[in-house]
Amino acid sequence: MSGTWSGEPAAPTDADPRRWWGLVVIALAQLMVVLDATIVNIALPSAQRDLGMSDGNRQWVITAYTLAFGGLLLLGGRVADLVGRKRTFVIGLIGFAAASALGGAAATPAMLFGARALQGVFAALLAPSALSLLSTTFSDPRERARAFGIYGTLAASGAAAGFIVGGVLTEYLNWRWCLYVNIPFAVAAVIGAYTLLRDRPGHGGARLDVPGVLLGCGGLVALVYGFGEAQPRGWSDPLVLALFAGSVVLLAAFVWWQTRAPMPLLPLHIIRDRNRAGCMVTMMLAVIGMFGMFLFMTYYLQVVLAYSPLMTGLAFLPMTASILTGSTQISARLLPRVGPRMLMVPGMLLASGGMVILTQMTVDSSYASEILPALILMGLGMGLTFMPVFSTATAGVAPRDSGVTSATVNTSQQIGGSIGTALLNTIATGTSASWIASRLTDPTRREQVVREGIVHGYTVAIWVAAGIMLLAALVAGLMVTAKAPRHDAPADEPVPEPVA
């Protein structure tokens, strides 16, 4: 991009006494988006029976959402910059509510799959505009730390809360309410956005980078779809290999084009910043491990320990509470005084330690003495990590780029979750199958051997997740060198764009 930063003043929002109510609106929208990534997991068996989905097709209820969400986030972030954050935020809310109503009323599997994809499209508009509004609303370091503490808590604990809400709605109403529940949230957030949020107009004269959209989004969709298909087809399947090869080619072409596009979708100076790049890689690695853990623990509690959907959701509550504690009571208080890596590295080490504890679980493990301590450690670790990641990655960005920066942070989260689910589930199922085949010699012990094999597969995959968490700690320690925010300067002082 040619020229220098235009010197746009920061939005004068810190003097607005309604800014904390505005945070409630932003947080409500973010919670809705994050919840929807997992809320249907527990409801999926009921939806499958009701609509007659096959075992091979049922995965699209989850994959259609994550593919559209992760693949279009960069576009959503740039649209927010061009059209205006508040306007994009409201459009995203209305579209998400409409797609939720369509999914709740689905009469066929295809209708549900399409509705979930539409939810992902509008979530890709909603999530980056929400984070962008947050980063431009709070510039005082102490208020910014507190606001991002709340936002980071929702990002980290929303997935776990989705299991709880999904369990309650499925058990006491039916699976369709896991989609209908979004409608009142969206209506409240739209009303709040019109009355409480302020934003400068978008850059209406600018144009979208259409080739960048096609190359970047196509590459991300191919990558996520490839990992999703690796589980049922196998890593050496020609389609999977073709998807990975296509993803590499498309993403390489995307990077090449961004250096030449007159108005790039992703200005590369955003990710050239060492601290921002370190935060995004740390986020992606952390979520790889976290999503894998959610998947395995949900099946472990329901299939192996025979918990009900509601009890499974409640079993995640201590983790949610520890995420809240780590984010709002520890990270938010310490970030104004210490560098972000002083929180992120210990956070990832704690999360990895919790994973190591889970590797010791068996078919007869006690929740209170063996599962609960691990969940608490992982929750504290995630709370310590996510809050400084969101705050540091979006600090110091020129206002015109705040939306696309927010989208890049969210993209790293969604892509990490997709990779983690596919990679770790493939490791678990492959290990389980080999273990069971080598030990299934006595037909009378078949059920016990299968249960033991399933748990063995989980523990092997969790060992891999623990290693990924350690890698996240290493990346944070080496790449994130930012100092604690200065108390005498705004936290979002724009970074000049380089001269072409």
Side-chain angles (χ1 to χ4, degrees), residues 134-162:
L134 181 62
S135 66
T136 55
T137 298
F138 295 92
S139 60
D140 176 80
R142 292 185 182 277
E143 288 195 348
R144 184 182 178 89
R146 196 178 313 150
F148 272 92
I150 295 171
Y151 186 91
T153 298
L154 292 174
S157 64

PDB file of all heavy atoms in Angstrom, residues 134-162:
ATOM      1  N   LEU A 134     -14.393  -3.000  19.973  1.00  0.00           N
ATOM      2  CA  LEU A 134     -13.838  -3.051  21.323  1.00  0.00           C
ATOM      3  C   LEU A 134     -12.486  -2.353  21.381  1.00  0.00           C
ATOM      4  O   LEU A 134     -12.204  -1.577  22.300  1.00  0.00           O
ATOM      5  CB  LEU A 134     -13.699  -4.513  21.764  1.00  0.00           C
ATOM      6  CG  LEU A 134     -13.141  -4.751  23.170  1.00  0.00           C
ATOM      7  CD1 LEU A 134     -14.054  -4.160  24.220  1.00  0.00           C
ATOM      8  CD2 LEU A 134     -12.959  -6.240  23.411  1.00  0.00           C
ATOM      9  N   SER A 135     -11.625  -2.611  20.389  1.00  0.00           N
ATOM     10  CA  SER A 135     -10.274  -2.049  20.423  1.00  0.00           C
ATOM     11  C   SER A 135     -10.275  -0.544  20.227  1.00  0.00           C
ATOM     12  O   SER A 135      -9.369   0.145  20.702  1.00  0.00           O
ATOM     13  CB  SER A 135      -9.405  -2.721  19.347  1.00  0.00           C
ATOM     14  OG  SER A 135      -9.884  -2.403  18.057  1.00  0.00           O
ATOM     15  N   THR A 136     -11.303   0.010  19.546  1.00  0.00           N
ATOM     16  CA  THR A 136     -11.359   1.455  19.357  1.00  0.00           C
ATOM     17  C   THR A 136     -12.198   2.152  20.431  1.00  0.00           C
ATOM     18  O   THR A 136     -12.174   3.379  20.530  1.00  0.00           O
ATOM     19  CB  THR A 136     -11.953   1.795  17.973  1.00  0.00           C
ATOM     20  OG1 THR A 136     -13.230   1.164  17.822  1.00  0.00           O
ATOM     21  CG2 THR A 136     -11.030   1.321  16.864  1.00  0.00           C
ATOM     22  N   THR A 137     -12.903   1.389  21.252  1.00  0.00           N
ATOM     23  CA  THR A 137     -13.708   1.968  22.319  1.00  0.00           C
ATOM     24  C   THR A 137     -12.893   2.198  23.581  1.00  0.00           C
ATOM     25  O   THR A 137     -13.126   3.161  24.320  1.00  0.00           O
ATOM     26  CB  THR A 137     -14.917   1.054  22.634  1.00  0.00           C
ATOM     27  OG1 THR A 137     -15.743   0.967  21.477  1.00  0.00           O
ATOM     28  CG2 THR A 137     -15.739   1.586  23.797  1.00  0.00           C
ATOM     29  N   PHE A 138     -11.920   1.315  23.838  1.00  0.00           N
ATOM     30  CA  PHE A 138     -11.123   1.403  25.066  1.00  0.00           C
ATOM     31  C   PHE A 138      -9.649   1.615  24.703  1.00  0.00           C
ATOM     32  O   PHE A 138      -9.013   0.714  24.147  1.00  0.00           O
ATOM     33  CB  PHE A 138     -11.281   0.126  25.900  1.00  0.00           C
ATOM     34  CG  PHE A 138     -12.675  -0.083  26.417  1.00  0.00           C
ATOM     35  CD1 PHE A 138     -13.587  -0.834  25.685  1.00  0.00           C
ATOM     36  CD2 PHE A 138     -13.083   0.489  27.604  1.00  0.00           C
ATOM     37  CE1 PHE A 138     -14.877  -1.018  26.146  1.00  0.00           C
ATOM     38  CE2 PHE A 138     -14.376   0.308  28.070  1.00  0.00           C
ATOM     39  CZ  PHE A 138     -15.280  -0.442  27.341  1.00  0.00           C
ATOM     40  N   SER A 139      -9.123   2.793  25.023  1.00  0.00           N
ATOM     41  CA  SER A 139      -7.717   3.086  24.739  1.00  0.00           C
ATOM     42  C   SER A 139      -6.893   3.284  26.003  1.00  0.00           C
ATOM     43  O   SER A 139      -5.677   3.156  25.958  1.00  0.00           O
ATOM     44  CB  SER A 139      -7.601   4.327  23.846  1.00  0.00           C
ATOM     45  OG  SER A 139      -8.182   5.446  24.481  1.00  0.00           O
ATOM     46  N   ASP A 140      -7.534   3.619  27.129  1.00  0.00           N
ATOM     47  CA  ASP A 140      -6.794   3.719  28.379  1.00  0.00           C
ATOM     48  C   ASP A 140      -6.275   2.333  28.767  1.00  0.00           C
ATOM     49  O   ASP A 140      -7.031   1.357  28.751  1.00  0.00           O
ATOM     50  CB  ASP A 140      -7.711   4.252  29.489  1.00  0.00           C
ATOM     51  CG  ASP A 140      -7.008   4.286  30.833  1.00  0.00           C
ATOM     52  OD1 ASP A 140      -6.241   5.238  31.082  1.00  0.00           O
ATOM     53  OD2 ASP A 140      -7.206   3.332  31.626  1.00  0.00           O
ATOM     54  N   PRO A 141      -4.974   2.194  29.103  1.00  0.00           N
ATOM     55  CA  PRO A 141      -4.403   0.859  29.356  1.00  0.00           C
ATOM     56  C   PRO A 141      -5.150   0.047  30.409  1.00  0.00           C
ATOM     57  O   PRO A 141      -5.368  -1.144  30.232  1.00  0.00           O
ATOM     58  CB  PRO A 141      -2.970   1.171  29.799  1.00  0.00           C
ATOM     59  CG  PRO A 141      -2.654   2.467  29.136  1.00  0.00           C
ATOM     60  CD  PRO A 141      -3.932   3.243  29.132  1.00  0.00           C
ATOM     61  N   ARG A 142      -5.539   0.681  31.517  1.00  0.00           N
ATOM     62  CA  ARG A 142      -6.216  -0.087  32.573  1.00  0.00           C
ATOM     63  C   ARG A 142      -7.612  -0.516  32.132  1.00  0.00           C
ATOM     64  O   ARG A 142      -8.030  -1.655  32.345  1.00  0.00           O
ATOM     65  CB  ARG A 142      -6.290   0.742  33.849  1.00  0.00           C
ATOM     66  CG  ARG A 142      -4.927   0.980  34.497  1.00  0.00           C
ATOM     67  CD  ARG A 142      -5.072   1.711  35.821  1.00  0.00           C
ATOM     68  NE  ARG A 142      -3.769   1.970  36.403  1.00  0.00           N
ATOM     69  CZ  ARG A 142      -3.077   1.092  37.125  1.00  0.00           C
ATOM     70  NH1 ARG A 142      -3.585  -0.111  37.335  1.00  0.00           N
ATOM     71  NH2 ARG A 142      -1.900   1.397  37.620  1.00  0.00           N
ATOM     72  N   GLU A 143      -8.365   0.411  31.529  1.00  0.00           N
ATOM     73  CA  GLU A 143      -9.698   0.050  31.052  1.00  0.00           C
ATOM     74  C   GLU A 143      -9.611  -0.968  29.923  1.00  0.00           C
ATOM     75  O   GLU A 143     -10.426  -1.889  29.839  1.00  0.00           O
ATOM     76  CB  GLU A 143     -10.438   1.301  30.571  1.00  0.00           C
ATOM     77  CG  GLU A 143     -10.883   2.226  31.695  1.00  0.00           C
ATOM     78  CD  GLU A 143     -11.889   3.232  31.211  1.00  0.00           C
ATOM     79  OE1 GLU A 143     -12.065   3.354  29.980  1.00  0.00           O
ATOM     80  OE2 GLU A 143     -12.509   3.904  32.057  1.00  0.00           O
ATOM     81  N   ARG A 144      -8.616  -0.810  29.056  1.00  0.00           N
ATOM     82  CA  ARG A 144      -8.432  -1.739  27.953  1.00  0.00           C
ATOM     83  C   ARG A 144      -8.158  -3.144  28.468  1.00  0.00           C
ATOM     84  O   ARG A 144      -8.712  -4.133  27.962  1.00  0.00           O
ATOM     85  CB  ARG A 144      -7.272  -1.267  27.071  1.00  0.00           C
ATOM     86  CG  ARG A 144      -7.043  -2.107  25.821  1.00  0.00           C
ATOM     87  CD  ARG A 144      -5.829  -1.567  25.071  1.00  0.00           C
ATOM     88  NE  ARG A 144      -5.542  -2.349  23.894  1.00  0.00           N
ATOM     89  CZ  ARG A 144      -6.039  -2.131  22.700  1.00  0.00           C
ATOM     90  NH1 ARG A 144      -6.888  -1.132  22.512  1.00  0.00           N
ATOM     91  NH2 ARG A 144      -5.713  -2.890  21.677  1.00  0.00           N
ATOM     92  N   ALA A 145      -7.306  -3.247  29.500  1.00  0.00           N
ATOM     93  CA  ALA A 145      -6.999  -4.555  30.069  1.00  0.00           C
ATOM     94  C   ALA A 145      -8.249  -5.205  30.649  1.00  0.00           C
ATOM     95  O   ALA A 145      -8.490  -6.401  30.470  1.00  0.00           O
ATOM     96  CB  ALA A 145      -5.920  -4.418  31.143  1.00  0.00           C
ATOM     97  N   ARG A 146      -9.058  -4.409  31.340  1.00  0.00           N
ATOM     98  CA  ARG A 146     -10.280  -4.961  31.939  1.00  0.00           C
ATOM     99  C   ARG A 146     -11.268  -5.399  30.866  1.00  0.00           C
ATOM    100  O   ARG A 146     -11.871  -6.466  30.943  1.00  0.00           O
ATOM    101  CB  ARG A 146     -10.914  -3.904  32.849  1.00  0.00           C
ATOM    102  CG  ARG A 146     -11.958  -4.462  33.811  1.00  0.00           C
ATOM    103  CD  ARG A 146     -12.500  -3.364  34.705  1.00  0.00           C
ATOM    104  NE  ARG A 146     -11.418  -2.558  35.271  1.00  0.00           N
ATOM    105  CZ  ARG A 146     -11.545  -1.270  35.591  1.00  0.00           C
ATOM    106  NH1 ARG A 146     -12.698  -0.649  35.386  1.00  0.00           N
ATOM    107  NH2 ARG A 146     -10.524  -0.613  36.099  1.00  0.00           N
ATOM    108  N   ALA A 147     -11.427  -4.554  29.822  1.00  0.00           N
ATOM    109  CA  ALA A 147     -12.370  -4.878  28.753  1.00  0.00           C
ATOM    110  C   ALA A 147     -11.935  -6.124  27.991  1.00  0.00           C
ATOM    111  O   ALA A 147     -12.751  -7.010  27.699  1.00  0.00           O
ATOM    112  CB  ALA A 147     -12.492  -3.688  27.794  1.00  0.00           C
ATOM    113  N   PHE A 148     -10.644  -6.202  27.677  1.00  0.00           N
ATOM    114  CA  PHE A 148     -10.167  -7.381  26.954  1.00  0.00           C
ATOM    115  C   PHE A 148     -10.158  -8.614  27.857  1.00  0.00           C
ATOM    116  O   PHE A 148     -10.207  -9.739  27.366  1.00  0.00           O
ATOM    117  CB  PHE A 148      -8.778  -7.126  26.368  1.00  0.00           C
ATOM    118  CG  PHE A 148      -8.817  -6.499  25.008  1.00  0.00           C
ATOM    119  CD1 PHE A 148      -8.777  -5.124  24.863  1.00  0.00           C
ATOM    120  CD2 PHE A 148      -8.931  -7.268  23.876  1.00  0.00           C
ATOM    121  CE1 PHE A 148      -8.833  -4.540  23.615  1.00  0.00           C
ATOM    122  CE2 PHE A 148      -8.990  -6.708  22.615  1.00  0.00           C
ATOM    123  CZ  PHE A 148      -8.941  -5.329  22.486  1.00  0.00           C
ATOM    124  N   GLY A 149     -10.083  -8.413  29.166  1.00  0.00           N
ATOM    125  CA  GLY A 149     -10.208  -9.551  30.074  1.00  0.00           C
ATOM    126  C   GLY A 149     -11.579 -10.198  29.952  1.00  0.00           C
ATOM    127  O   GLY A 149     -11.710 -11.421  29.897  1.00  0.00           O
ATOM    128  N   ILE A 150     -12.611  -9.365  29.881  1.00  0.00           N
ATOM    129  CA  ILE A 150     -13.971  -9.886  29.718  1.00  0.00           C
ATOM    130  C   ILE A 150     -14.119 -10.544  28.346  1.00  0.00           C
ATOM    131  O   ILE A 150     -14.657 -11.651  28.215  1.00  0.00           O
ATOM    132  CB  ILE A 150     -14.987  -8.746  29.884  1.00  0.00           C
ATOM    133  CG1 ILE A 150     -14.929  -8.206  31.317  1.00  0.00           C
ATOM    134  CG2 ILE A 150     -16.395  -9.213  29.548  1.00  0.00           C
ATOM    135  CD1 ILE A 150     -15.739  -6.931  31.522  1.00  0.00           C
ATOM    136  N   TYR A 151     -13.620  -9.877  27.316  1.00  0.00           N
ATOM    137  CA  TYR A 151     -13.717 -10.414  25.949  1.00  0.00           C
ATOM    138  C   TYR A 151     -12.940 -11.724  25.820  1.00  0.00           C
ATOM    139  O   TYR A 151     -13.425 -12.705  25.241  1.00  0.00           O
ATOM    140  CB  TYR A 151     -13.172  -9.372  24.971  1.00  0.00           C
ATOM    141  CG  TYR A 151     -13.361  -9.750  23.520  1.00  0.00           C
ATOM    142  CD1 TYR A 151     -14.497  -9.359  22.831  1.00  0.00           C
ATOM    143  CD2 TYR A 151     -12.408 -10.494  22.844  1.00  0.00           C
ATOM    144  CE1 TYR A 151     -14.679  -9.689  21.496  1.00  0.00           C
ATOM    145  CE2 TYR A 151     -12.578 -10.832  21.510  1.00  0.00           C
ATOM    146  CZ  TYR A 151     -13.714 -10.428  20.849  1.00  0.00           C
ATOM    147  OH  TYR A 151     -13.887 -10.769  19.537  1.00  0.00           O
ATOM    148  N   GLY A 152     -11.720 -11.763  26.363  1.00  0.00           N
ATOM    149  CA  GLY A 152     -10.920 -12.977  26.294  1.00  0.00           C
ATOM    150  C   GLY A 152     -11.554 -14.133  27.043  1.00  0.00           C
ATOM    151  O   GLY A 152     -11.448 -15.295  26.643  1.00  0.00           O
ATOM    152  N   THR A 153     -12.227 -13.810  28.157  1.00  0.00           N
ATOM    153  CA  THR A 153     -12.926 -14.851  28.911  1.00  0.00           C
ATOM    154  C   THR A 153     -14.018 -15.492  28.063  1.00  0.00           C
ATOM    155  O   THR A 153     -14.177 -16.713  28.037  1.00  0.00           O
ATOM    156  CB  THR A 153     -13.548 -14.256  30.183  1.00  0.00           C
ATOM    157  OG1 THR A 153     -12.504 -13.749  31.012  1.00  0.00           O
ATOM    158  CG2 THR A 153     -14.334 -15.308  30.953  1.00  0.00           C
ATOM    159  N   LEU A 154     -14.779 -14.654  27.344  1.00  0.00           N
ATOM    160  CA  LEU A 154     -15.834 -15.197  26.491  1.00  0.00           C
ATOM    161  C   LEU A 154     -15.256 -16.040  25.366  1.00  0.00           C
ATOM    162  O   LEU A 154     -15.781 -17.104  25.039  1.00  0.00           O
ATOM    163  CB  LEU A 154     -16.663 -14.044  25.911  1.00  0.00           C
ATOM    164  CG  LEU A 154     -17.510 -13.271  26.917  1.00  0.00           C
ATOM    165  CD1 LEU A 154     -18.157 -12.081  26.242  1.00  0.00           C
ATOM    166  CD2 LEU A 154     -18.569 -14.167  27.532  1.00  0.00           C
ATOM    167  N   ALA A 155     -14.149 -15.574  24.791  1.00  0.00           N
ATOM    168  CA  ALA A 155     -13.532 -16.322  23.700  1.00  0.00           C
ATOM    169  C   ALA A 155     -13.027 -17.672  24.176  1.00  0.00           C
ATOM    170  O   ALA A 155     -13.091 -18.667  23.459  1.00  0.00           O
ATOM    171  CB  ALA A 155     -12.389 -15.513  23.096  1.00  0.00           C
ATOM    172  N   ALA A 156     -12.488 -17.711  25.405  1.00  0.00           N
ATOM    173  CA  ALA A 156     -11.894 -18.942  25.907  1.00  0.00           C
ATOM    174  C   ALA A 156     -12.920 -19.884  26.517  1.00  0.00           C
ATOM    175  O   ALA A 156     -12.807 -21.099  26.401  1.00  0.00           O
ATOM    176  CB  ALA A 156     -10.813 -18.608  26.948  1.00  0.00           C
ATOM    177  N   SER A 157     -13.931 -19.323  27.170  1.00  0.00           N
ATOM    178  CA  SER A 157     -14.882 -20.176  27.883  1.00  0.00           C
ATOM    179  C   SER A 157     -16.172 -20.411  27.113  1.00  0.00           C
ATOM    180  O   SER A 157     -16.967 -21.274  27.486  1.00  0.00           O
ATOM    181  CB  SER A 157     -15.239 -19.547  29.240  1.00  0.00           C
ATOM    182  OG  SER A 157     -15.898 -18.308  29.063  1.00  0.00           O
ATOM    183  N   GLY A 158     -16.388 -19.668  26.022  1.00  0.00           N
ATOM    184  CA  GLY A 158     -17.627 -19.809  25.283  1.00  0.00           C
ATOM    185  C   GLY A 158     -17.824 -21.204  24.726  1.00  0.00           C
ATOM    186  O   GLY A 158     -18.940 -21.707  24.672  1.00  0.00           O
ATOM    187  N   ALA A 159     -16.722 -21.848  24.300  1.00  0.00           N
ATOM    188  CA  ALA A 159     -16.838 -23.207  23.769  1.00  0.00           C
ATOM    189  C   ALA A 159     -17.342 -24.160  24.840  1.00  0.00           C
ATOM    190  O   ALA A 159     -18.217 -24.995  24.596  1.00  0.00           O
ATOM    191  CB  ALA A 159     -15.489 -23.668  23.229  1.00  0.00           C
ATOM    192  N   ALA A 160     -16.797 -24.041  26.054  1.00  0.00           N
ATOM    193  CA  ALA A 160     -17.251 -24.898  27.153  1.00  0.00           C
ATOM    194  C   ALA A 160     -18.692 -24.576  27.529  1.00  0.00           C
ATOM    195  O   ALA A 160     -19.503 -25.482  27.786  1.00  0.00           O
ATOM    196  CB  ALA A 160     -16.335 -24.728  28.361  1.00  0.00           C
ATOM    197  N   ALA A 161     -19.031 -23.288  27.551  1.00  0.00           N
ATOM    198  CA  ALA A 161     -20.401 -22.904  27.879  1.00  0.00           C
ATOM    199  C   ALA A 161     -21.381 -23.439  26.851  1.00  0.00           C
ATOM    200  O   ALA A 161     -22.534 -23.753  27.170  1.00  0.00           O
ATOM    201  CB  ALA A 161     -20.508 -21.382  27.977  1.00  0.00           C
ATOM    202  N   GLY A 162     -20.923 -23.564  25.591  1.00  0.00           N
ATOM    203  CA  GLY A 162     -21.785 -24.113  24.557  1.00  0.00           C
ATOM    204  C   GLY A 162     -22.219 -25.534  24.863  1.00  0.00           C
ATOM    205  O   GLY A 162     -23.360 -25.918  24.585  1.00  0.00           O
TER     206      GLY A 162
END
